[in-house]
């Protein structure tokens, strides 16, 4: 009834208008229509990227390469994701590491001049969307000649507060089997079981839209390891009179760690974005670390986007780590893994992405190509370079500190369908 | 076990804070039609999962730190 009254009143008002007034009214109607259309478009666009939605149907084929410190690792990674019924998104990932290693650990252990091996990782999972809740399950299996790992994970995320806030939780459980290969004339003659290890991860996260140009996220994650946690090949060194003695590493059978990360994404006054990340980490072995990262993303002309990255990481050493122990069995636990040493790394990165014109390949909605290059310098504060004749030249415990540069390449194409 | 309790306590505090925020009269202050910048693909924290998984693996294999990598984290299942 009220609607009918309103329509009659509007019609009567329009009929009383003069010609210029009618033209102005029509122009206003046109602007209003355009405004409403724009509004609807924006709401749809925002709904697609801010509210709870399933990831897009997409396939990625990536070539990766890491080269540094005498180690070269490269291989492919293929990730495919597809929605079913608008409620479920299935994904699968096939990943290979082809390793050729003559790292400082290997060349100074006197057990080998280098080795090659392959690690294959297959993962699969699905996301299920119900209203503003997304539930995710995943399973990952990793195989190499002396290490097997299987991990399953569960995650839950919920959007609320006008889709400005997302709360997420994740849990995963991993079970690993560690073996030691026995070599003869460069070939593996047996792979002896050394122990099992299990790993549980518990995480929570909060993502918050702070303004129309600023979004932040905060993540906490704890990891609990139990079992055989050391590398069966690595040894520690100790002073043995004028000689150097060697003994296998000895690690605790548990390790707990906590990590907290704060990330920010800010849209600059022109079309560009600045991503900032701060992360702090501490574990029960006495290691604490910090890293800070900045990424600047700049679109350029039609389809191009460039990225610059700067990342700095530093950590303190584990409380049972030493580059050189004073004598054999100097303490209960012994480690000389450079990843547990005091060290820092500086990472400079550059990326370029190109999105091809839409339907360039008719079978795909859109396609893009990406190249990312990272150069990382590692500088160790308590891990000495004992390769070659360094010990004889500089004296035991006075060898130069180890440092190396690594080059990391990610080259991939993506297709949406 | 103590570790898990600590995490659960932190999760509870975080959830309470979120619930408290939800119970107040504060309304969402960025309207859906004001989110065109946030919806720009360059504003995605991690737009390429396949690439993010790999670079996280590069860091995790060489640093003692692990955890809180964001959505694409979760462990590489390797030594």
């Amino acid at each position: 009834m009220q609607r009918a009254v309103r329509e009659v009143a509007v019609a009567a008002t329009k009929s009383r208008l003069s010609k210029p007034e009618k033209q102005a009214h029509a122009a206003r109607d046109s602007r209003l229509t355009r405004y409403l259309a724009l509004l609807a478009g924006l709401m749809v666009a925002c709904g697609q990227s801010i509210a709870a939605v399933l990831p897009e149907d997409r396939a990625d084929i990536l070539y990766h390469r890491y080269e540094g410190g005498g180690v070269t690792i490269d291989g492919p990674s293929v990730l495919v994701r597809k929605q079913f019924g608008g409620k479920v998104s299935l994904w699968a990932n096939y990943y290979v590491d082809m390793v050729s290693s003559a790292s400082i650990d290997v060349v100074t252990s006197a057990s080998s001049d280098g080795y090659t091996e392959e690690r294959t990782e297959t993962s699969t999972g699905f996301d299920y969307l119900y209203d503003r809740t997304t539930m995710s399950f995943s399973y990952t299996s990793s195989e190499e000649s002396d290490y097997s790992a299987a991990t399953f994970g569960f995650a839950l995320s919920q959007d609320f507060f006008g889709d400005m806030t997302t709360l997420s939780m994740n849990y995963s459980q991993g079970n690993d089997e560690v073996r030691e290969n026995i070599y003869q004339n460069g070939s593996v003659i047996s792979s002896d079981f050394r122990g099992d290890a299990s790993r549980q991860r518990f995480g929570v996260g909060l993502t918050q839209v702070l303004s129309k140009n600023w979004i932040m996220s905060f993540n906490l994650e704890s990891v609990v390891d139990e079992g055989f946690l050391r590398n069966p090949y690595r040894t520690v060194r100790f002073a043995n009179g004028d000689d150097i003695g060697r003994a296998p590493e000895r690690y605790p059978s548990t390790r707990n760690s906590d990590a907290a990360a704060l990330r920010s994404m800010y849209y600059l006054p022109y079309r560009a974005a600045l991503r900032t990340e701060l992360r702090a980490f501490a574990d029960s072995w006495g290691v604490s670390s910090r890293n800070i990262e900045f990424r600047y993303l700049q679109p350029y002309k039609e389809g191009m986007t460039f990225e610059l990255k700067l990342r700095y990481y530093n950590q303190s050493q584990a409380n049972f780590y030493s580059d050189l122990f004073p004598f054999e069995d100097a303490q209960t636990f012994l480690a000389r893994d450079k990843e547990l040493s005091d060290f820092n790394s500086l990472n400079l990165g550059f990326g370029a992405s190109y999105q091809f014109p839409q339907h360039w390949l008719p079978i795909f909605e859109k396609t893009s190509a990406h190249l990312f290059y990272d150069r990382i310098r590692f500088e160790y504060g308590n891990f000495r370079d004992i390769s070659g004749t360094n010990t004889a030249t500089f004296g035991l415990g006075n060898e130069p500190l180890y440092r190396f540069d690594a080059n990391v390449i990610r080259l991939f194409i993506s297709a949406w369908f | 076990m103590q570790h898990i309790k600590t995490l659960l306590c932190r999760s509870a505090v975080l959830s309470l804070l979120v619930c408290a925020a939800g119970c107040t009269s504060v309304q969402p202050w960025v309207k859906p039609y004001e989110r065109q910048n946030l919806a720009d693909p360059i504003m995605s924290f991690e737009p390429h999962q396949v690439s993010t998984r790999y670079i996280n693996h590069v860091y995790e294999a060489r640093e003692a730190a692990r955890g809180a990598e964001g959505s694409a984290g979760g462990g590489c299942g390797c030594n």
Side-chain angles (χ1 to χ4, degrees):
Chain A
M1 185 65 181
Q2 283 179 331
R3 188 180 167 194
V5 170
R6 262 203 317 273
E7 281 173 355
V8 169
V10 168
T13 307
K14 279 187 176 175
S15 67
R16 286 198 301 272
L17 294 175
S18 63
K19 194 176 176 186
E21 284 173 325
K22 281 181 181 171
Q23 283 172 344
H25 205 97
R28 262 201 312 277
D29 281 354
S30 171
R31 279 202 301 275
L32 187 65
T33 307
R34 282 204 302 272
Y35 175 73
L36 288 173
L38 178 66
L39 201 63
L42 287 175
M43 286 175 77
V44 169
C46 294
Q48 282 172 350
S49 58
I50 305 294
V53 288
L54 289 171
E56 296 168 293
D57 292 349
R58 174 175 173 171
D60 297 272
I61 301 174
L62 175 136
Y63 169 75
H64 59 85
R65 184 178 180 87
Y66 171 94
E67 198 172 346
V71 179
T72 301
I73 307 169
D74 68 348
S77 179
V78 180
L79 176 66
V80 180
R81 186 181 265 285
K82 176 87 178 95
Q83 283 185 26
F84 293 92
K87 288 283 182 190
V88 176
S89 174
L90 286 178
W91 63 270
N93 182 211
Y94 176 76
Y95 174 97
V96 178
D97 272 337
M98 286 180 281
V99 183
S100 167
S101 179
S103 71
I104 187 158
D105 284 336
V106 172
V107 298
T108 58
S109 69
S111 62
S112 168
D113 293 331
Y115 66 90
T116 59
E117 73 170 345
E118 189 174 308
R119 182 175 77 87
T120 304
E121 183 185 300
T122 49
S123 312
T124 187
F126 68 89
D127 301 304
Y128 174 68
L129 177 69
Y130 180 78
D131 194 20
R132 292 179 174 178
T133 306
T134 307
M135 283 168 271
S136 307
F137 296 86
S138 65
Y139 176 77
T140 300
S141 168
S142 172
E143 274 300 329
E144 52 196 303
S145 64
D146 53 3
Y147 205 98
S148 302
T151 305
F152 75 87
F154 171 71
L156 193 65
S157 78
Q158 171 76 39
D159 287 2
F160 53 93
F161 195 48
D163 293 333
M164 284 180 54
T165 307
T166 304
L167 182 65
S168 61
M169 285 170 271
N170 65 277
Y171 170 78
S172 70
Q173 160 87 47
N175 296 298
D176 303 355
E177 182 184 293
V178 187
R179 301 178 294 274
E180 182 176 357
N181 287 341
I182 309 298
Y183 293 88
Q184 195 173 62
N185 301 324
S187 302
V188 178
I189 56 167
S190 68
S191 191
D192 298 348
F193 175 76
R194 285 289 172 262
D196 289 316
S198 69
R199 183 179 308 104
Q200 294 185 82
R201 300 172 79 117
F202 308 84
V204 290
L206 185 71
T207 302
Q208 178 68 50
V209 171
L210 293 175
S211 77
K212 59 184 181 181
N213 293 316
W214 193 13
I215 187 165
M216 285 193 84
S217 74
F218 180 65
N219 288 84
L220 283 173
E221 191 164 39
S222 292
V223 186
V224 180
D225 288 293
E226 287 177 309
F228 190 90
L229 304 180
R230 70 178 177 88
N231 182 319
Y233 305 101
R234 194 177 290 120
T235 57
V236 297
R237 62 175 189 151
F238 58 88
N240 187 18
D242 292 335
D243 292 332
I244 304 166
R246 287 193 172 274
E249 288 187 316
R250 276 205 305 267
Y251 279 22
S253 59
T254 59
R255 182 187 183 198
N256 303 328
S257 71
D258 297 310
L262 190 65
R263 294 181 180 84
S264 158
M265 201 78 191
Y266 193 80
Y267 193 93
L268 296 168
Y270 48 97
R271 189 175 174 233
L274 181 66
R275 185 189 188 279
T276 310
E277 175 180 317
L278 297 167
R279 186 171 68 143
F281 167 88
D283 73 10
S284 58
W285 290 358
V287 178
S288 66
S289 79
R290 305 281 183 272
N291 66 267
I292 182 166
E293 180 181 311
F294 298 100
R295 281 188 225 170
Y296 175 77
L297 291 99
Q298 178 64 67
Y300 178 72
K301 291 190 175 172
E302 198 65 27
M304 289 294 299
T305 303
F306 294 103
E307 180 181 308
L308 287 173
K309 179 171 98 173
L310 175 67
R311 181 181 189 269
Y312 177 75
Y313 172 89
N314 78 0
Q315 71 172 52
S316 64
Q317 69 181 35
N319 47 29
F320 54 93
Y321 171 90
S322 180
D323 178 67
L324 175 66
F325 288 94
F327 51 89
E328 190 172 11
D329 291 328
Q331 56 195 52
T332 308
F333 299 118
L334 309 158
R336 193 179 175 271
D337 178 358
K338 63 183 185 301
E339 286 148 29
L340 296 179
S341 163
D342 164 10
F343 82 90
N344 66 67
S345 69
L346 183 65
N347 180 174
L348 289 170
F350 172 77
S353 301
Y354 178 68
Q355 187 173 314
F356 294 98
Q358 209 156 19
H359 299 298
W360 173 69
L361 284 174
I363 54 170
F364 298 117
E365 279 180 17
K366 61 177 178 176
T367 44
S368 58
H370 313 261
L371 174 66
F372 290 88
Y373 168 75
D374 290 272
R375 186 169 178 86
I376 313 174
R377 165 155 293 187
F378 294 86
E379 294 189 332
Y380 294 87
N382 190 18
F383 181 82
R384 295 184 181 277
D385 182 355
I386 58 171
S387 60
T389 58
N390 277 354
T391 302
T393 306
F394 298 99
L396 183 63
N398 292 314
E399 302 91 345
L401 291 168
Y402 186 58
R403 59 194 283 181
F404 73 98
D405 292 326
N407 298 306
V408 185
I409 291 171
R410 287 168 282 165
L411 175 65
F412 61 103
I413 53 171
S414 308
W416 286 257
F417 50 89
Chain B
M1 205 60 203
Q2 182 62 35
H3 204 65
I4 297 167
K5 281 180 186 168
T6 308
L7 186 82
L8 288 174
C9 286
R10 284 178 191 167
S11 308
V13 169
L14 192 66
S15 304
L16 280 174
L17 284 172
V18 170
C19 290
C23 293
T24 62
S25 58
V26 177
Q27 296 295 312
W29 56 87
V30 182
K31 305 296 180 200
Y33 55 83
E34 294 179 313
R35 299 180 192 175
Q36 68 269 33
N37 290 349
L38 299 174
D40 193 309
I42 63 169
M43 285 292 283
S44 173
F45 275 110
E46 297 295 351
H48 310 296
Q49 192 188 1
V50 70
S51 162
T52 303
R53 279 170 70 97
Y54 172 69
I55 200 71
N56 283 343
H57 168 56
V58 167
Y59 295 137
E60 189 173 324
R62 285 156 193 89
E63 298 170 351
R66 71 261 174 94
E69 292 94 350
S71 58
C76 60
C78 58
N79 55 349

